[in-house]
């Protein structure tokens, strides 16, 4: 009598039970060289053995052989190289209902401009795409960090941190431009910390903070981030996409019609405002004139900051629908990004920023809805995190009007610094003063402000010692 035939079931390739996760990590070092199977399958094997023994002493019972369920290997991933990380494995794009599309053609780097990369990255920020390692958004890309970069670069499939590098070349920190990526792939233990973000531009001249576009819990975000990242900073490596068609990328070899001129990354807020005199001010003026701000300048815009620059910048910001502190006439990373990429709305004919109440030096524009800065209220993402901003104004509810960022720059000497210092002492945050406080901005002022900001529960760039409007409000309330 023929014994029943049973076969072991292989687990799904993305099974996340402890046993499967363990064998995915040790498989390359396994002497047997094969996946031992799902724990449940091994239990099934034991049952098979028992049934076979029983079949010897019991009457024969007809049995049907179970089909042998095998899953195709991940495309492009050598055996044992799949990610054991909280991100999805390499996969094709997915269509409606999460169905996988036909496999993509062999690895290539589709051409795309930096402006398009940032525009695609911003689209997920605006939609607040929720984080998931198993779900795919309507455009077919997986909703985790590597799927997000795959989407922004318009790759033919969903990559992971262990495979994104084949589409890019390694660069230095000084070479970073918007659209490049900062990648941390923990090869020895991919499950522990691997992550990737898109670089969106520097937020200060010291290049200590930048705008990061990233897919993380709970949803896609755009945030001012310390270089290279909040954790494992030394292990993040900058890369440039091989298919970028502008800048100094190594893969922009397509026809000339695909290329766009190299664009100047945002230099930082310190380059703009009263007293500024540099080439970035001149470039800002030229870009504004091209967007309809010519009537604000009596002469061609030059390198010295003038009220015409402020009014023209403000008119451009208002054309985007921004109001209040978000349209204060000082360019932040988002204003600069729209100008250099030629995106956003032009200044309409007849628009005049002078019809609005005048604002002295203030902070850079805050972001429209859907763009998260990651900073406390009142700290604009257009500044080095926590930098002062907002306009001065009359006292409100006993709080003196915030005087603006220019009052607290290195070398500043004014009564606002004295008032700030005295209030810090009054609140119990004057430990770093050896004399004073006085009217000259000093490192002691900065450290005392930082201590106050940390007492509010702020960390990172939100507690950098530069008083913003929210720091000012809390200090004097």
């Amino acid at each position: 009598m023929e014994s029943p035939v049973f076969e072991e079931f292989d687990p799904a390739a993305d099974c996340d039970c402890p046993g499967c996760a363990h064998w995915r990590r040790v498989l390359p070092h396994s002497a047997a060289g094969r996946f031992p199977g799902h724990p449940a399958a091994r239990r099934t094997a034991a049952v098979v053995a028992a049934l076979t023994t029983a079949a010897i002493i019991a009457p024969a019972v007809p049995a049907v052989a179970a089909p042998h369920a095998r899953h195709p290997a991940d495309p492009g991933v050598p055996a044992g190289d799949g990610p054991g990380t909280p991100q999805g494995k390499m996969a094709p794009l997915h269509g409606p209902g999460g169905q996988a599309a036909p496999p993509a053609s062999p690895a290539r780097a589709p051409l795309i401009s930096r402006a398009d990369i940032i525009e695609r990255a911003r689209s997920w920020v605006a939609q607040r795409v929720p984080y998931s390692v198993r779900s795919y958004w309507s455009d077919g890309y997986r909703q985790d960090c590597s799927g997000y970069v795959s989407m922004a670069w318009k790759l033919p499939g969903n990559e992971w941190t262990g495979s994104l590098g084949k589409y890019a070349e390694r660069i230095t920190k000084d070479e970073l431009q918007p659209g490049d990526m900062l990648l941390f792939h923990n090869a020895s233990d991919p499950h522990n910390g691997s992550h990737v973000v898109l670089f969106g531009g520097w937020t200060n001249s010291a290049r200590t903070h930048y705008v990061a576009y990233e897919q993380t819990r709970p949803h896609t975000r755009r945030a001012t981030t310390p270089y290279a990242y909040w954790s494992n900073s030394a292990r993040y490596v900058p890369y440039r996409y091989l298919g970028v068609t502008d800048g100094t990328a190594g893969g922009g070899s397509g026809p000339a019609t695909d290329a766009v001129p190299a664009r100047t990354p945002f230099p930082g807020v310190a380059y703009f405002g009263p007293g500024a005199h540099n080439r970035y001010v001149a470039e800002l003026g030229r870009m504004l004139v091209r967007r309809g701000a010519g009537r604000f300048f009596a002469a061609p815009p030059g390198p010295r900051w003038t009220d015409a620059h402020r009014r023209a910048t403000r008119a451009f910001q208002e054309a985007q629908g921004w109001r209040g502190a978000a349209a204060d006439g000082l360019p932040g990373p988002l204003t600069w990004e729209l100008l250099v990429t030629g995106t956003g709305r032009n200044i309409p004919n007849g628009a005049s920023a002078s019809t609005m109440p005048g604002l002295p030096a203030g902070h850079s524009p805050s972001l429209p809805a859907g763009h998260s800065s990651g900073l406390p209220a009142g700290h604009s993402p257009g500044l080095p995190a926590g930098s002062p901003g907002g306009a001065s104004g009359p006292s409100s509810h006993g709080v003196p009007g915030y005087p603006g960022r220019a009052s607290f720059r290195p070398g500043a000497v004014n009564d606002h610094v004295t008032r700030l210092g005295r209030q810090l002492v009054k609140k119990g945050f004057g430990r770093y003063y050896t004399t004073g406080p006085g009217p000259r901005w000093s490192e002691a002022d900065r450290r005392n402000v930082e201590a106050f900001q940390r007492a509010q529960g702020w960390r990172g760039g939100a507690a950098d010692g530069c008083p913003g409007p929210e720091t000012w409000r809390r200090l004097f309330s």
Side-chain angles (χ1 to χ4, degrees), residues 23-389:
W23 284 109
R24 275 197 295 271
R25 288 195 297 271
V26 304
L27 181 59
H29 313 291
S30 170
R34 67 181 294 271
F35 191 87
H38 193 285
R42 294 196 291 277
R43 289 194 297 272
T44 301
V47 173
V48 169
L51 290 176
T52 304
T53 303
I56 296 174
I57 60 176
V61 179
V64 179
H68 194 66
R70 292 196 178 277
H71 300 271
D74 297 339
V77 182
D81 287 348
T85 178
Q87 57 180 311
K89 62 183 184 299
M90 286 178 61
L93 300 184
H94 281 55
Q99 297 300 313
S105 56
R108 60 186 179 86
L111 299 181
I112 187 172
S113 70
R114 293 188 183 281
D116 288 338
I117 291 174
I118 296 299
E119 185 62 30
R120 291 172 67 85
R122 289 173 58 195
S123 69
W124 274 30
V125 175
Q127 296 174 82
R128 300 169 69 86
V129 175
Y131 179 90
S132 173
V133 299
R134 295 183 178 86
S135 301
Y136 295 81
W137 199 237
S138 57
D139 52 16
Y141 290 96
R142 191 179 54 249
Q143 296 165 216
D144 62 4
C145 63
S146 46
Y148 179 53
V149 173
S150 300
M151 180 279 300
W153 284 359
K154 207 175 182 179
L155 298 183
N158 288 284
E159 302 298 325
W160 69 295
T161 56
S163 63
L164 277 169
K166 70 184 180 184
Y167 288 96
E169 62 178 349
R170 188 166 178 170
I171 59 175
T172 66
K173 174 183 176 181
D174 291 338
E175 294 175 310
L176 276 168
Q177 295 185 50
D180 296 336
M181 75 172 174
L182 287 162
L183 172 69
F184 167 37
H185 176 62
N186 189 355
S188 61
D189 185 7
H191 186 80
N192 185 17
S194 296
H195 190 48
V196 60
V197 303
L198 280 172
F199 179 81
W202 298 109
T203 62
N204 63 351
S205 57
R207 299 192 173 189
T208 60
H209 290 74
Y210 67 100
V211 172
Y213 292 88
E214 62 177 323
Q215 182 69 1
T216 186
R217 294 181 177 88
H219 51 70
T220 323
R221 73 176 183 179
R222 176 191 189 276
T224 299
T225 304
Y227 186 84
Y229 198 65
W230 302 98
S231 58
N232 295 307
S233 179
R235 305 182 71 179
Y236 277 78
V237 179
Y239 283 88
R240 174 158 298 152
Y241 176 50
L242 292 173
V244 73
T245 57
D246 55 321
T248 58
S253 56
T257 53
D258 289 335
V260 296
R263 301 184 178 107
T264 305
F266 182 63
V269 294
Y271 286 84
F272 307 100
H277 189 283
N278 56 73
R279 67 184 181 89
Y280 299 108
V281 173
E283 185 171 353
L284 172 70
R286 289 192 294 268
M287 292 190 294
L288 288 167
V289 168
R290 289 195 293 268
R291 303 302 294 273
R295 62 183 173 277
F296 294 101
F297 297 94
R304 183 177 298 280
W305 179 269
T306 67
D307 190 59
H309 289 86
R310 183 189 64 80
R311 292 189 294 115
T313 302
R314 188 174 182 187
F316 178 76
Q317 292 166 339
E318 290 174 349
Q320 313 313 308
W322 308 342
R323 295 294 182 267
D328 64 357
L330 288 172
L334 183 54
T335 300
W336 187 267
E337 179 183 308
L338 295 177
L339 286 170
V340 300
T341 59
T343 54
R345 291 185 287 271
N346 291 337
I347 300 171
N349 292 332
S352 175
S354 62
T355 60
M356 301 289 290
L359 290 176
H363 66 292
S364 297
S366 58
L367 299 176
H371 292 264
S372 171
S373 69
L375 299 177
H379 286 69
S380 169
L383 294 177
S387 292

